[in-house]
Amino acid sequence: MQINPLLDQNPEQFLYLFNLELTPANLDKFRNIRYVIMQGSSKRSALLAKKLAKHVAGIDTRFFEPVNLVNTSNFAVYRVGSVLAVSHGMGNVTIDALLHAVTKLLHFAGNTQLEYIRVGTSGGIGIEPGTVVVTKNAYMPNLEPYYTTYELDQRVDTPTHADLALVERILAAQPDKLPFPIVSGNSVAADDFYLGQCRYDGAMRARRDHDYRAKFFEKVHALDIRNFEMESCALGAFCNLAKIPATMIAVTLVNRFEGDQIKSSAEQLVEFSERSQQVVINYLLSRKDLSN
């Protein structure tokens, strides 16, 4: 892990985004972390923590309730063994803020070897709903493999590729008879949920017609792009700068070639969401450095 050297010259006493005092007692809660699994909602992160308690730590979850270790409603952080289950909200901007906060916290707690994996949902490009995509490379909406940001008035483009060795380890950890499809592919991190993905079901009308959108989807499919989501570019850029292996595991809820509306039942959507979590649990269980 590579982090801002100024942090050690001026150690923080209070981590604003987590509303957390960096006391020895609080830092002890975050020592010996190896994996950080990120999801959009605190509810999903708490559910993953319960699954990890059951499958990794062997805890009877009838008597286990995840405890949020930070003091803010913006994010949630749960710990099971050497794994953190963390919520990041929606979009590149929110996950970027979370990445800075959690990485600083883990640095101050003495962690040096980390892997970051975002787990979530997405819109598929030419694949059936329920397919799990493990991201190899993240693209901006203009199909450039860089995350474009501005430091004051200066444009900065940071590469967004995932760690391919991590992608291969995740795929290799899945059982031969996995009861749902899983693929590796590229992802587009849209700027927003509606117009940025040219959805026609938003409150504002999309500016591109069906023909333009269909040709664009064909174009991105040819680039091995298999899903739309909203966080992969910030994740890839940050982790490339920090030299932290990272990727994204996202199940698809709709095939955008066939429209915008999600047609699966509520029960199917719950099961689809659990597929991404199952893939990451399979991976964690394969790791020899996973501690209880």
Side-chain angles (χ1 to χ4, degrees):
M1 183 169 71
Q2 182 172 296
I3 200 162
N4 180 6
L6 296 178
L7 294 179
D8 292 328
Q9 296 177 25
N10 299 286
E12 294 184 43
Q13 303 300 314
F14 182 78
L15 196 54
Y16 170 73
L17 288 179
F18 285 162
N19 191 26
L20 186 70
E21 289 189 51
L22 298 179
T23 63
N26 280 335
L27 289 176
D28 280 344
K29 299 174 185 177
F30 298 96
R31 300 194 194 282
N32 301 314
I33 296 297
R34 184 70 177 85
Y35 304 94
V36 179
I37 313 302
M38 298 169 236
Q39 296 184 97
S41 75
S42 58
K43 183 177 180 180
R44 285 181 183 171
S45 294
L47 178 61
L48 178 61
K50 293 197 76 165
K51 290 181 179 180
L52 292 172
K54 178 180 179 180
H55 296 290
V56 174
I59 295 172
D60 187 336
T61 52
R62 293 177 300 171
F63 311 104
F64 173 80
E65 193 62 36
V67 175
N68 186 4
L69 299 178
V70 300
N71 303 314
T72 174
S73 60
N74 294 323
F75 305 110
V77 179
Y78 305 101
R79 177 174 187 166
V80 178
S82 58
V83 183
L84 289 186
V86 181
S87 68
H88 59 68
M90 182 181 289
N92 280 320
V93 173
T94 58
I95 195 173
D96 184 72
L98 177 279
L99 288 164
H100 279 274
V102 76
T103 303
K104 289 202 298 180
L105 176 57
L106 294 177
H107 168 73
F108 291 136
N111 302 282
T112 57
Q113 298 295 319
L114 298 165
E115 291 182 2
Y116 286 0
I117 302 173
R118 186 183 103 73
V119 175
T121 58
S122 62
I125 303 292
I127 55 179
E128 290 304 306
T131 302
V132 174
V133 180
V134 185
T135 298
K136 297 184 295 184
N137 200 5
Y139 288 83
M140 291 288 284
N142 63 357
L143 304 184
E144 292 293 336
Y146 302 95
Y147 183 42
T148 299
T149 56
Y150 287 83
E151 291 185 16
L152 301 180
D153 60 346
Q154 297 298 305
R155 173 174 169 164
V156 179
D157 294 329
T158 307
T160 52
H161 58 83
D163 186 281
L164 295 183
L166 174 58
V167 171
E168 290 302 318
R169 290 197 298 272
I170 291 171
L171 295 173
Q174 306 310 309
D176 293 335
K177 295 183 179 180
L178 194 67
F180 49 82
I182 182 171
V183 299
S184 60
N186 301 323
S187 303
V188 170
D191 287 329
D192 60 74
F193 190 79
Y194 285 102
L195 298 184
Q197 301 181 45
C198 197
R199 297 173 66 109
Y200 298 134
D201 58 351
M204 299 294 109
R205 184 173 179 176
R207 300 173 182 85
R208 301 294 182 233
D209 61 24
H210 285 273
D211 183 61
Y212 186 98
R213 188 175 79 168
K215 290 178 180 178
F216 179 82
F217 286 167
E218 292 286 354
K219 179 180 179 179
V220 300
H221 192 268
L223 293 172
D224 200 26
I225 292 171
R226 294 296 177 263
N227 59 350
F228 265 119
E229 47 71 63
M230 296 171 60
E231 291 87 18
S232 60
C233 279
L235 174 67
F238 181 93
C239 290
N240 281 325
L241 289 173
K243 302 194 181 305
I244 297 173
T247 189
M248 180 177 70
I249 301 170
V251 69
T252 57
L253 303 182
V254 63
N255 181 358
R256 292 298 308 284
F257 275 116
E258 299 175 356
D260 302 328
Q261 293 293 317
I262 295 172
K263 299 177 181 179
S264 302
S265 67
E267 292 76 14
Q268 284 178 310
L269 292 177
V270 170
E271 194 273 325
F272 285 172
S273 182
E274 290 180 347
R275 292 181 180 184
S276 297
Q277 292 188 343
Q278 187 57 56
V279 168
V280 80
I281 288 172
N282 290 342
Y283 171 64
L284 292 173
L285 291 174
S286 75
R287 305 303 293 159
K288 294 180 180 179
D289 56 359
L290 185 67
S291 64
N292 296 336

